[in-house]
Amino acid sequence: MDYSMGGGSGSGDEDIDNLQNGKRSSSYKRLTSAQTAVLENFMKECHHPDEAQRRQLAEEVGLEPKQIKFWFQNKRTLLKNQHERENNSTLRAENERIHNENYLIREALKATICSTCGGPPFPEEEHERFMNHMQEENAKLKEECEKVSNFLARYMEKEISLPELEQALNSIEAFSRDMEPEISLNQTVGESSSQVNGNLTMHQAGMFSTGNYDTEKLMMSQIVAIAMEELVRLVRVNEPFWINSSTNQDGKYTLLKDSYEQVFPKNNHFKGANVCEESSKYSGIVNLSGVQLVDMFLDTVKWTNLFPTIVTKAETIKVFETGSVGNRDGALLLMYEEMHILSPLVRPREFHIVRYCKQVDVGVWVITDVSFDSTSQPNTSSLSRSWKHPSGCIIREMPNGACLVTWVEHVEVDDKIHSHQLYRDLVNSFSLYGAESWIKELQRMCQRSVSFFLERIPIHESRGVIQTIEGRKGVMKFAHRMVKMFCECLTMTGQLEFQHLSLDSIGGVRVSVRKTTSTGQPNGMVVAAATTLWLPLSADKVFEFLRDPTKRSQWDVLSCGNPVHEIAHISNGLYPGNCISIIQPFIPSENHTLILQESFTSPVGSYVIYAATDTTSMNVAIRGEDSKELQILPSGFVVCSKGQPNVTLEETFNNGNSSVDGSGGTLLTLAYQILTSSTNGIDKPLNMESVATVNTLLSNTILKVKEALMTSTT
């Protein structure tokens, strides 16, 4: 209540004490509402009126100047007390929030894990016995794998017959034991999404069968809220967190660990000799709207389609919030994703993450990813453990309909069976899993999307066999499925290494066998093999040679040494090498054979992916009909444009000479797949014949490519 401090009998301090003690002096008079309104309106402009202002107010409201002075003194005191009460309420609420957060952390810490392996605590003596046992078993498996490799090399050199090979393999216990599980592990590579969903549903059941849904949702919400706050600061601020990681000021940044940990202190999630931490930030313009991008990021099928050379698998484990209609604000998901690049010599990375979408302003979204602990789950690989610190991107719509996307990638990786040292150096030195790779692959796929949605066939494509826009889209869908299948094949889960096969390659020849029953792939046993060579040539030269139809007869077994003709061509962006081709070999006895090929340059390397098909299947795609059931088994090349980080590789594979054209050289990976005739389990002799066949194809092709390229430079 407002009172006029009447009379001059008391000091301002005494009046304030009277007011605070609930006492009212006899000189107090209640002001009228009109007087109060005038004084309060003036106080909004000035809390401390001077003497002239007090006299003017006194005349206006009919009071003494001293009464005006005391009124302002007491009003200021009342406001101060009110603000203190409000601040106390805010602090109490913050204290309660911190207390609840502390409680949740204490509850989480009760489930203590081993800092080395991520598993439950283990008695030291029992742990030592277990490690000794595993080392002995590992040594035995290596010895028996060496025996298998030796027998296979002898068989391929015609030193032993097929019955002798079969007898030798039957005598090796580990080979028969290892091959069977390899099939079951690889069945998911090409299976339908419903089958994969089944596996993840079991995973989900194990994760959430105990515990309350609301508690889980609350904990996940608090995790992503903290992660998003960190991500936003990392995106918006360069110094002191980030340093430009290149000399040409191209916008690539890496974290300064000391500065980062001072603001965001945290312990390393993994420990050990094979642990590495990667961090990067990069920005780029993407020709899609913000709503389209957000929708793609929150749909795992669209997510894998958007990054085919990086993400090989992705599944939604659980949806806590779908987000607001139209902008997906507040969407909260649990996800699993597998990442892989370049070659079987690079280990895949698996992440279990919480993904959160928040629209923070008109046309601005934050997509936050952060790992959650799933080390106790049965589907979590113990060989390649990965942890994602707060990462993700900020999407900002621009007036022209495009978006500025700023990406942050911050991960810890512990590969117990680590990548080949050469590729490990490449991945770390050039940050091939980093933010720049994600942005540039996103840009490439957006250019492909623009090409897909063209309303008419470009003039330079109109001379081919594709004459309708529906047919053009049908062939592009067919080719995209082929690319995804090839990139999945490169992971080669359960692979065997054959160092004794005849190629002088990096890491030997990697072979895997899997059973395929899913739509879009031939049914039966598929043998896949891959190898990597270093060539003392630039990546551009190697890529252009491989995609040149006039040079194809020099290396492609499908052409049987005959010329080929490109009967259709689809451009996938501004770069001429990003295109789809339908190629027809001139083979009189096989005039129904066609080759579907897609070539492109991605942030990590260039790809030339192709597969044989027949005219009947291709006509289905050209007519614009559904091509999902068309069977295809792709092979292809990956050309790594990053060169090598040191001279050791050049000395090893080029007799000490430097690269021919002055470049850092090129890593060329070739992966072949063939279908065996067996459809009922594994027939070992048949699979050995298949391994021999695919190795012959691999060897002949890669050597022909090398010979043709080296000849052209002399």
Side-chain angles (χ1 to χ4, degrees):
M1 298 178 66
D2 293 308
Y3 297 93
S4 169
M5 307 306 156
S9 59
S11 69
D13 291 337
E14 292 171 344
D15 286 324
I16 291 171
D17 290 339
N18 289 338
L19 182 63
Q20 291 176 340
N21 293 329
K23 300 176 182 178
R24 183 180 301 172
S25 69
S26 59
S27 61
Y28 271 77
K29 298 179 182 178
R30 183 184 296 275
L31 300 182
T32 66
S33 58
Q35 291 172 322
T36 302
V38 170
L39 295 176
E40 288 184 343
N41 286 336
F42 187 88
M43 190 164 191
K44 290 178 183 179
E45 304 296 330
C46 177
H47 280 217
H48 297 272
D50 57 24
E51 185 176 353
Q53 290 171 322
R54 290 198 296 271
R55 284 199 301 270
Q56 182 179 353
L57 283 172
E59 293 176 2
E60 185 175 348
V61 299
L63 296 174
E64 295 293 330
K66 186 174 292 188
Q67 291 177 296
I68 299 297
K69 175 182 178 182
F70 293 150
W71 186 91
F72 273 92
Q73 286 180 343
N74 290 328
K75 189 66 174 178
R76 288 194 296 268
T77 302
L78 286 171
L79 289 176
K80 180 180 177 182
N81 292 338
Q82 182 180 355
H83 290 160
E84 287 178 351
R85 286 194 297 271
E86 291 175 353
N87 290 336
N88 288 339
S89 299
T90 303
L91 290 173
R92 281 196 298 271
E94 180 67 12
N95 184 53
E96 185 176 356
R97 186 189 69 79
I98 295 174
H99 178 77
N100 292 336
E101 182 180 329
N102 191 24
Y103 172 77
L104 290 171
I105 293 173
R106 288 200 307 272
E107 289 297 310
L109 287 175
K110 289 181 181 179
T112 309
I113 63 172
C114 174
S115 60
T116 302
C117 67
F122 222 70
E124 184 175 351
E125 185 177 342
E126 190 173 349
H127 175 74
E128 185 174 353
R129 287 200 304 269
F130 175 77
M131 291 298 295
N132 290 336
H133 173 72
M134 292 299 295
Q135 289 171 357
E136 292 172 1
E137 185 173 348
N138 189 37
K140 182 180 178 182
L141 290 173
K142 285 183 178 179
E143 180 183 352
E144 293 178 341
C145 189
E146 183 76 12
K147 290 179 182 178
V148 172
S149 183
N150 285 328
F151 282 125
L152 182 58
R154 292 179 61 193
Y155 169 70
M156 295 177 63
E157 297 295 332
K158 309 299 183 183
E159 294 180 8
I160 59 175
S161 64
L162 186 59
E164 289 174 324
L165 175 63
E166 180 182 358
Q167 182 179 359
L169 292 179
N170 287 333
S171 66
I172 301 176
E173 179 183 359
F175 183 73
S176 60
R177 181 176 67 242
D178 289 343
M179 288 296 287
E180 293 296 338
E182 183 181 332
I183 302 307
S184 62
L185 285 171
N186 280 278
Q187 284 178 357
T188 59
V189 171
E191 287 177 351
S192 66
S193 60
S194 61
Q195 290 169 304
V196 179
N197 273 326
N199 290 336
L200 287 171
T201 301
M202 293 172 60
H203 184 185
Q204 171 185 337
M207 187 178 303
F208 298 106
S209 57
T210 59
N212 181 269
Y213 175 87
D214 292 333
T215 303
E216 293 161 0
K217 181 179 175 181
L218 175 61
M219 181 170 289
M220 294 300 174
S221 299
Q222 291 179 339
I223 289 172
V224 294
I226 296 171
M228 187 181 76
E229 181 181 352
E230 177 177 328
L231 174 64
V232 170
R233 291 189 66 182
L234 291 179
V235 168
R236 292 179 174 174
V237 178
N238 285 339
E239 296 179 357
F241 300 132
W242 298 97
I243 183 173
N244 196 305
S245 58
S246 61
T247 57
N248 56 2
Q249 301 295 316
D250 56 1
K252 293 190 290 187
Y253 294 91
T254 187
L255 275 177
L256 286 169
K257 191 171 183 180
D258 292 341
S259 299
Y260 169 79
E261 290 182 346
Q262 287 178 4
V263 181
F264 304 108
K266 53 173 67 74
N267 296 323
N268 289 343
H269 196 75
F270 303 123
K271 295 181 181 179
N274 297 323
V275 176
C276 66
E277 186 170 343
E278 301 169 7
S279 61
S280 56
K281 181 170 77 166
Y282 193 79
S283 297
I285 303 296
V286 176
N287 290 322
L288 283 178
S289 71
V291 173
Q292 287 176 304
L293 281 176
V294 167
D295 180 63
M296 291 177 174
F297 284 16
L298 297 177
D299 185 316
T300 51
V301 175
K302 294 178 181 178
W303 173 252
T304 54
N305 285 331
L306 202 56
F307 300 97
T309 63
I310 301 176
V311 181
T312 51
K313 296 179 188 176
E315 294 294 334
T316 300
I317 299 173
K318 195 164 188 176
V319 178
F320 284 113
E321 289 288 349
T322 58
S324 302
V325 177
N327 59 15
R328 303 302 298 275
D329 179 40
L332 181 63
L333 315 174
L334 293 183
M335 292 176 56
Y336 162 81
E337 60 181 356
E338 178 188 78
M339 301 176 192
H340 183 257
I341 56 173
L342 289 175
S343 165
L345 299 178
V346 181
R347 298 296 301 178
R349 297 181 175 185
E350 294 178 288
F351 291 94
H352 294 80
I353 61 172
V354 188
R355 175 163 292 178
Y356 179 58
C357 171
K358 181 66 178 175
Q359 185 173 18
V360 295
D361 202 348
V362 177
V364 182
W365 289 263
V366 179
I367 304 291
T368 306
D369 289 347
V370 64
S371 285
F372 66 93
D373 196 352
S374 61
T375 53
S376 61
Q377 302 310 315
N379 284 8
T380 303
S381 170
S382 61
L383 300 180
S384 180
R385 297 185 300 154
S386 309
W387 186 265
K388 182 166 288 192
H389 295 293
S391 303
C393 63
I394 288 185
I395 301 169
R396 187 182 300 275
E397 287 188 328
M398 303 177 69
N400 61 357
C403 286
L404 173 64
V405 181
T406 301
W407 200 292
V408 169
E409 196 71 10
H410 186 193
V411 300
E412 249 180 89
V413 180
D414 177 17
D415 289 335
K416 290 189 175 180
I417 298 181
H418 56 74
S419 303
H420 189 280
Q421 185 62 45
L422 170 65
Y423 275 102
R424 193 177 186 186
D425 291 342
L426 280 174
V427 169
N428 293 341
S429 300
F430 296 101
S431 191
L432 297 187
Y433 277 111
E436 183 183 12
S437 293
W438 288 94
I439 289 288
K440 290 189 174 179
E441 179 69 347
L442 180 59
Q443 290 172 328
R444 182 185 75 82
M445 291 303 296
C446 286
Q447 289 181 4
R448 194 183 193 278
S449 177
V450 170
S451 176
F452 180 84
F453 286 107
L454 289 177
E455 296 181 356
R456 60 182 62 184
I457 298 177
I459 296 175
H460 66 276
E461 297 179 11
S462 60
R463 297 180 181 179
V465 297
I466 303 174
Q467 296 297 313
T468 66
I469 198 68
E470 292 78 13
R472 189 175 185 272
K473 290 181 178 179
V475 173
M476 291 185 73
K477 289 179 181 178
F478 195 15
H480 182 67
R481 182 161 63 87
M482 175 183 70
V483 170
K484 287 183 61 181
M485 290 170 59
F486 176 79
C487 293
E488 290 176 3
C489 159
L490 283 178
T491 61
M492 295 184 69
T493 308
Q495 60 185 279
L496 295 175
E497 179 181 339
F498 293 98
Q499 291 281 3
H500 297 280
L501 297 185
S502 56
L503 281 176
D504 184 18
S505 61
I506 301 169
V509 176
R510 303 298 174 107
V511 179
S512 72
V513 184
R514 73 180 189 275
K515 183 178 180 181
T516 61
T517 58
S518 59
T519 302
Q521 297 189 57
N523 291 336
M525 306 307 302
V526 173
V527 178
T531 192
T532 299
L533 291 181
W534 180 79
L535 297 174
L537 301 168
S538 70
D540 288 343
K541 183 178 181 64
V542 176
F543 178 59
E544 290 303 321
F545 171 82
L546 293 172
R547 59 176 295 269
D548 187 350
T550 65
K551 306 288 179 59
R552 197 177 194 95
S553 60
Q554 298 182 37
W555 59 267
D556 189 3
V557 66
L558 295 175
S559 70
C560 298
N562 297 314
V564 301
H565 178 55
E566 187 181 49
I567 61 174
H569 181 94
I570 300 174
S571 298
N572 283 333
L574 301 178
Y575 180 56
N578 292 7
C579 61
I580 299 168
S581 301
I582 301 176
I583 299 170
Q584 184 176 35
F586 290 121
I587 307 174
S589 60
E590 299 181 12
N591 58 355
H592 296 296
T593 300
L594 296 174
I595 301 170
L596 177 64
Q597 176 176 292
E598 179 162 356
S599 60
F600 56 88
T601 297
S602 79
V604 298
S606 299
Y607 291 69
V608 179
I609 302 167
Y610 60 93
T613 185
D614 54 49
T615 54
T616 302
S617 297
M618 187 58 70
N619 283 334
V620 171
I622 291 175
R623 290 194 297 267
E625 298 175 10
D626 189 359
S627 61
K628 290 180 181 178
E629 296 187 2
L630 297 181
Q631 295 185 351
I632 196 166
L633 197 61
S635 300
F637 297 90
V638 183
V639 184
C640 182
S641 59
K642 301 300 182 184
Q644 75 292 333
N646 54 56
V647 299
T648 305
L649 199 62
E650 286 195 29
E651 294 174 350
T652 302
F653 290 96
N654 204 34
N655 299 322
N657 299 319
S658 62
S659 57
V660 174
D661 54 9
S663 67
T666 296
L667 291 171
L668 178 63
T669 297
L670 170 60
Y672 249 116
Q673 296 188 93
I674 64 169
L675 178 70
T676 72
S677 58
S678 172
T679 57
N680 299 315
I682 290 186
D683 181 274
K684 290 178 186 173
L686 180 60
N687 277 316
M688 289 305 98
E689 288 182 345
S690 302
V691 170
T693 300
V694 77
N695 179 67
T696 301
L697 289 170
L698 200 69
S699 303
N700 291 342
T701 302
I702 202 79
L703 292 176
K704 285 179 179 179
V705 169
K706 182 177 181 180
E707 180 182 356
L709 281 167
M710 298 308 295
T711 301
S712 66
T713 59
T714 57

